[in-house]
Each structure stands twice: as C-alpha cells, then as structure tokens.
Amino acid sequence: MAGIFDVGASALSSLQRAIATTGHNIANANTDGYSRQNITFVTQESEFVGGQAFGTGVKVGDVSRAYDQFLTDELRDRTTARSYHDFYFNTSQRVDALFADASTGLSVAMDNFFVAVDAVATSPSSLPERQVLISEAEMLSGRFNYMDKRLESIYTETTARISSKADDINQYAQELATLNELIKRFASESSATPNDLLDKRDLTLLELSQLVNVNSQEQADGSVNVYVGDGVRLVVGAFAESVRVSGERTGDGRPSVFITTPGGAEDNVTKNMSGGELGAALEVSSNVVFRARRELGLLAIGLASIVNTQHAQGDDLSGEPGGAFFGDFGTPIIGTGQNSGLSEVSYVIDEPLELTGDAYEIRYGVAGPVLTNTTTGASQAVTGDSISIDGFTITLSEFAAGMEGDEFRIAPTADAAGLMSVAIRAPEDVAAAARGGSVGDNRNMLALFDMRDTGSFVNSNRSVDDIYRDTLSHVAVETRTSKSSAALEETLLRAATDRRDSVQGVNLEEEAADLVRYQPAYQAAAQVIAAANQVFDTLLRATER
C-alpha cells in the first residue's frame, strides 16, 4: 500500500513540473515561434487493500503545446503572400521611377528630338539647326542606352538576390532535415511530445515561407516532408535537396532555378517556383523588367526604322540621297549551357515595324525543332532550315541525332535599346529636302516630324508614342496593383498572427494566475510530507518503549 509519504511526494513532483512549465512559458513569452505549453494531471492507479480502493497520488499525464494546424497554415500562407507582393512592389517601383522620372525617362528626350526636327524644317539650310538635331539624336540614343543599362542592372541585382534567397532556402532545408532526425529519434525513444523541437520546426517553416510557397506533409514517424513552389520536393525525412540559381535566362526572361538531389541529379524547376520573395523575383523579372526591356527595344528599333526610312526619301545639302540616320542593331541570341554544340541558330530582322516585342524559344525535341512564343505561349514545328515570323527570319540547323534538348532564346528587341546609336555625323548630311528638292526645301523634315504620330507598327497598329505610353502604363499598373496587394496582405498577415497568438501565444496574466493556483497546492503537498514524517517519528518513538 502506498504510504502517506508516497502520495505527498507524487504531489510535490507533479506540482514542481507544473510550476516549471509555467515558468518556461513566462520565460519564452517573447520568443518567436514559441507555443504555450499546458500540463495535465492524472490520478495514479488505486491500490486495493481489505476490499477498499486507496488512492496513490497524482502524476503528470501530458505536457502539450497549444497548437492549431489551420491557424499555422494560414499564417504561413499569409506570410508567403505578403513577402511576394512586397518584393514585387519594391522592384516594379524602381522600374516605374526610371520611366516616369523626367531626368531619366524618354519623354523629354523624344520631345526635344522632334522639336529639333521641327526647327530644321523651319530653317532647312541652317547648319546650326542641323547640328542641334544630331546632338538631340545623340541625347535620345544615349537615353535609350542609359535606360537599358539601368533595366539590366535591376535584372542583375534581382538575380543576385534570388541567388541569396536560394542560399537561405538551402540553409532552412538543412535545418528542417536535422530537426526531422531529432524529432524522429525523440519519438522512437519516448512517448512524450518534443514541444520545443516542434516549435522550432514550425518557425523554420514559417521563415522558409517568406522565401517561397511551402507545403509540409507530416509522416508517421513525426518527420515532415517539405515541398516548395508548385510541388518541388525540398526535404524528405532527414535528407535535404539544394536549390541553385543560374544567371542563364529562360525564354520569358526569368533567371533559371535548379534543384539538386543528394545524389547529384539536377532538374530545372524555374516554372515550378512560386510564392514568396523567390517567386516574386522570378515573376517581376519576367513580367516587368524583361518586358520593359523588350518594349523599350521595340520602341528604339521602331523609331530608328521610321526615321531612317523617311530620311532615305530626302536629299541632303549636297543633293545626295539621305543615308541612315540611326545605326544598325545587333542580333544577339542565347543558347543554354546544356546544348550539345551540334546545333546553331541565328536570325535577321526583315521588317522592323512588324516586330511585336515578344520573346521566343527554339527547342530541339525528338521530332525536330519547335518554335515557341514565350510571351503568348503559341508553338509551331519548324520544317526546313528557316522560318519567318513577326518581322524576322530565323535560320537554324536541320534536325540531326544528338540535338535533342538543345534550346535557344531569341528576343529581337530585348537588347536593342542598349545598342541604339546615331549613324549620321555631319550636319550637311541631314536630308531635309524632298527627293530632287532645292536647298531650302523642308518637305522631308515635315514628313519626318509627322511620323511620330503616324508611323505605325503593323501587328499592333501603334505609333512610337503609343508604345512608350503603353509601357509606362503597364509598369505603373503593375506597381500600383502590387502596392495595393502588399498593403492588403500586411493587414491579413497581422490578423492571422493575432488569431494564431490568441491560441498559441503566452498570456502572462494567465500564467501568473496558474502560479497563484499551484503555490498553495505545493505548500499543502509539503504539509503532507511533514505529516508523514511526524507519523513516522511517532511510530519510531512507540517502538522504542
């Protein structure tokens, strides 16, 4: 039969653990990710003596953490969304400022160029006016170059930040794998719940959700398998895979993201990475930065083509036909680092005003090369060694064994703004007069001035002004939308945090009340021990007589 001392000792031991748990809660009231722990008492099994059941005391039944899976998942989702829109807004805002600022944008430079055209039309034989026109053309060309360089710089910085985020993802993956192993080992050695380890794992998952969309699946052994983006496996039990970012662009202008398994195999998962800062960086690189570069290049090529075409229809001061006013543009093409080296692709621009500003990709499949417009998603098989589309012609190697998987990215307008230059140098070479006109003729300059509003791109029926306004509008809308979404997600995140904390957070007043409740009980249990000692002493004295 359990003695009075045993009953009192069980009470003291259980209450000590209760007070320690309360103290643990108070100590971690401000610890990120900590969940309040609750202790429950259960009655020890009774002993039967003389046909009667006698209590044997109390024991700790469980120490559990206050936890709600739904609230945890909601907080993780809201964190992912807030981080996504914050990053998207901060990047698109930089592009918006570049285009909208009069000191860096194109509006003033384009206006000044056409004002100079009008000045030459007013004084067609004036060399100073012609020199001003060339100078304004150089200023406009330089502005195109500068804006393209700034956009490329934003893209490069974004890629560097993506690489940094990938390193952070890898660190979190290793931490999760380690925590999985510890939790699994704890579960195999004890029936208790490793509350602090579970909190740390949840906090790591929450921090990971800032970088990318996260989905976790708990396993029977207590570990969790973690998937990021749209189902990309990152952690399985105690094994973590790693993420790598390459500056090599995809067809739609995103930096390439690869996942590497512990065995060394590597897969391109760029299209599957979504949510969080990493997903936002990939999306804004494509939808804002790369698109802005293509539209800016389209404007540069279009403006140069319109001016050159009209300029060639006039005569200069010597009566000679006008030459090229703006210089030629290069035709860069990008092949992936995994290509076989057996295939070659090149292109030439045939009709500048038929260009759309879209990006394209040539991929050699098992049945031959396929051309995909990565902006619209439209694809078509390529037969033969060339194909013409949207104002340019692609020449490529005919399909042969070993070329499967080769890829080439073509964006005819993406680098054009950075390559824009002025070809004309001497003011006498400005072709102000109509063909066969006299020295004072200004008809070609008047026609060139009108081309700003009337020179249209064939496939979109837009003028050069329309293209610039559309680009400004797109960037501004993306910026305003992401700003609004970021503000909304911040509000939703605060609400989700409050809901989670109301269930899992530590309330110091409640903890203080628990201490007030436990202290008298502990003192009473001590009295039971004291009474047991007195009874024992009485028995000893009785036996000594």
Side-chain angles (χ1 to χ4, degrees), residues 371-395:
L371 171 64
T372 300
N373 182 320
T374 58
T375 306
T376 65
S379 297
Q380 58 181 303
V382 180
T383 57
D385 60 359
S386 66
I387 182 172
S388 295
I389 184 173
D390 297 337
F392 67 101
T393 297
I394 303 171
T395 302

Side-chain angles (χ1 to χ4, degrees), residues 167-469:
D167 292 339
D168 292 340
I169 289 174
N170 293 336
Q171 180 179 342
Y172 289 135
Q174 289 295 333
E175 290 178 6
L176 288 168
T178 300
L179 288 167
N180 273 343
E181 180 64 23
L182 292 174
I183 292 170
K184 178 181 177 181
R185 186 185 309 161
F186 191 100
S188 66
E189 297 173 355
S190 171
S191 60
T193 304
N195 296 315
D196 292 333
L197 288 176
L198 293 175
D199 280 346
K200 188 173 182 180
R201 188 172 68 184
D202 282 342
L203 179 60
T204 304
L205 286 169
L206 181 63
E207 292 171 340
L208 177 62
S209 71
Q210 296 180 28
L211 304 179
V212 67
N213 186 47
V214 176
N215 178 39
S216 61
Q217 298 178 356
E218 188 168 358
Q219 306 302 301
D221 60 5
S223 64
V224 293
N225 292 344
V226 181
Y227 301 85
V228 294
D230 299 327
V232 178
R233 186 178 63 192
L234 183 67
V235 178
V236 177
F239 298 98
E241 303 189 3
S242 61
V243 176
R244 179 180 69 85
V245 174
S246 167
E248 185 176 279
R249 298 174 185 172
T250 63
D252 59 358
R254 303 165 192 254
S256 297
V257 182
F258 298 88
I259 195 85
T260 305
T261 67
E266 192 172 68
D267 292 321
N268 190 321
V269 294
T270 309
K271 294 181 179 180
N272 303 107
M273 283 296 186
S274 62
E277 295 180 7
L278 177 59
L282 293 172
E283 189 68 25
V284 77
S285 293
S286 172
N287 195 38
V288 177
V289 183
F290 188 55
R291 174 170 173 169
R293 285 195 74 203
R294 298 198 319 267
E295 290 286 310
L296 189 66
L298 179 65
L299 177 58
I301 291 176
L303 179 63
S305 175
I306 290 169
V307 172
N308 285 349
T309 300
Q310 186 61 50
H311 192 255
Q313 295 178 20
D315 289 341
D316 61 20
L317 279 178
S318 301
E320 297 295 327
F325 197 97
F326 289 104
D328 293 332
F329 296 89
T331 55
I333 193 165
I334 302 174
T336 68
Q338 290 76 36
N339 282 357
S340 64
L342 301 175
S343 55
E344 293 183 356
V345 173
S346 61
Y347 73 93
V348 293
I349 296 175
D350 305 312
E351 299 292 341
L353 295 184
E354 291 185 9
L355 294 172
T356 63
D358 291 349
Y360 308 81
E361 182 178 78
I362 290 281
R363 178 178 175 82
Y364 283 83
V366 293
V370 174
L371 171 64
T372 300
N373 182 320
T374 58
T375 306
T376 65
S379 297
Q380 58 181 303
V382 180
T383 57
D385 60 359
S386 66
I387 182 172
S388 295
I389 184 173
D390 297 337
F392 67 101
T393 297
I394 303 171
T395 302
L396 65 165
S397 305
E398 291 193 24
F399 180 65
M403 295 181 181
E404 296 90 341
D406 285 2
E407 294 181 8
F408 295 87
R409 285 75 186 256
I410 304 171
T413 65
D415 299 289
L419 298 171
M420 191 174 187
S421 62
V422 177
I424 196 168
R425 288 290 178 264
E428 296 86 355
D429 293 338
V430 174
R435 186 59 53 81
S438 61
V439 171
D441 192 315
N442 67 352
R443 287 175 293 171
N444 200 44
M445 281 295 101
L446 290 175
L448 178 57
F449 184 81
D450 292 338
M451 292 301 292
R452 176 174 186 173
D453 298 316
T454 60
S456 298
F457 285 79
V458 175
N459 291 328
S460 61
N461 196 31
R462 295 185 295 172
S463 68
V464 290
D465 267 358
D466 291 335
I467 291 175
Y468 189 62
R469 283 194 295 266

Side-chain angles (χ1 to χ4, degrees), residues 96-168:
D96 185 41
L98 177 65
F99 277 85
D101 190 342
S103 64
T104 57
L106 283 175
S107 295
V108 174
M110 288 181 63
D111 288 343
N112 290 343
F113 173 75
F114 281 99
V115 166
V117 171
D118 185 53
V120 173
T122 301
S123 303
S125 59
S126 170
L127 289 179
E129 300 297 341
R130 290 164 171 259
Q131 185 60 57
V132 169
L133 174 58
I134 294 174
S135 297
E136 292 298 341
E138 290 174 342
M139 288 290 293
L140 177 58
S141 176
R143 188 60 54 84
F144 271 106
N145 299 161
Y146 171 78
M147 291 187 67
D148 184 76
K149 184 178 180 179
R150 289 292 301 123
L151 288 172
E152 179 63 18
S153 176
I154 293 173
Y155 182 91
T156 302
E157 291 172 18
T158 303
T159 302
R161 293 188 65 181
I162 293 175
S163 296
S164 175
K165 302 306 176 187
D167 292 339
D168 292 340

